Amino acid sequence: QVQLVESGGGLVQAGDSLRLFCAASGRTFSNYAMAWFRQAPGKEREFVSTISRTGGITSYADSVKGRFTISRDNAKNTAYLQMNSLKPEDTAVYYCAARFWSVSQKRDDYNSWGQGTQVTVSS
């Protein structure tokens, strides 16, 4: 498995931006599709975005489409989530996940997870 460490979360106001980072180690990063999920209090962990091994394929949850952008730098073993126009409903713990080879939007398809980073958006 690949080891993942998220960072970049924080407390912001509605309309602000944040950039999340996911640093990977332990395996060949470019062999893994990457994804971001989030979990709000009392809710299930939900898909946010995913990116293919080369970055050529991306997909987003409808709730973040047009506001969030996923990217990766295979030379730096890092994935990113740029979050713009944040809303209070984006408040959650954000998790980075890795899956060998192919992308997926299904939580159960990912077997490597980070510890999460808290994002709180005040109104």
Side-chain angles (χ1 to χ4, degrees):
Q1 292 184 350
V2 61
Q3 286 76 50
L4 304 171
V5 178
E6 302 97 332
S7 61
L11 171 63
V12 297
Q13 294 188 330
D16 285 350
S17 298
L18 272 179
R19 194 182 198 197
L20 304 184
F21 301 80
C22 175
S25 62
R27 290 290 187 267
T28 303
F29 182 66
S30 59
N31 284 343
Y32 288 80
M34 301 298 296
W36 290 93
F37 290 77
R38 67 185 182 185
Q39 188 167 18
K43 295 189 176 181
E44 300 230 338
R45 193 171 299 188
E46 65 175 4
F47 168 77
V48 174
S49 182
T50 187
I51 188 168
S52 63
R53 293 174 293 117
T54 62
I57 298 171
T58 59
S59 66
Y60 299 90
D62 287 343
S63 58
V64 307
K65 203 171 293 184
R67 300 187 298 121
F68 290 11
T69 302
I70 192 170
S71 61
R72 65 189 295 162
D73 186 337
N74 287 345
K76 295 183 177 179
N77 291 347
T78 302
Y80 309 92
L81 186 67
Q82 178 67 42
M83 305 186 295
N84 298 331
S85 303
L86 282 161
K87 305 175 181 180
E89 51 264 44
D90 294 319
T91 295
V93 177
Y94 282 72
Y95 295 91
C96 174
R99 179 175 192 260
F100 184 76
W101 213 251
S102 57
V103 296
S104 172
Q105 296 186 2
K106 299 179 181 178
R107 181 186 60 194
D108 291 345
D109 284 345
Y110 290 84
N111 57 7
S112 294
W113 293 85
Q115 82 289 348
T117 185
Q118 177 71 47
V119 172
T120 303
V121 184
S122 64
S123 57

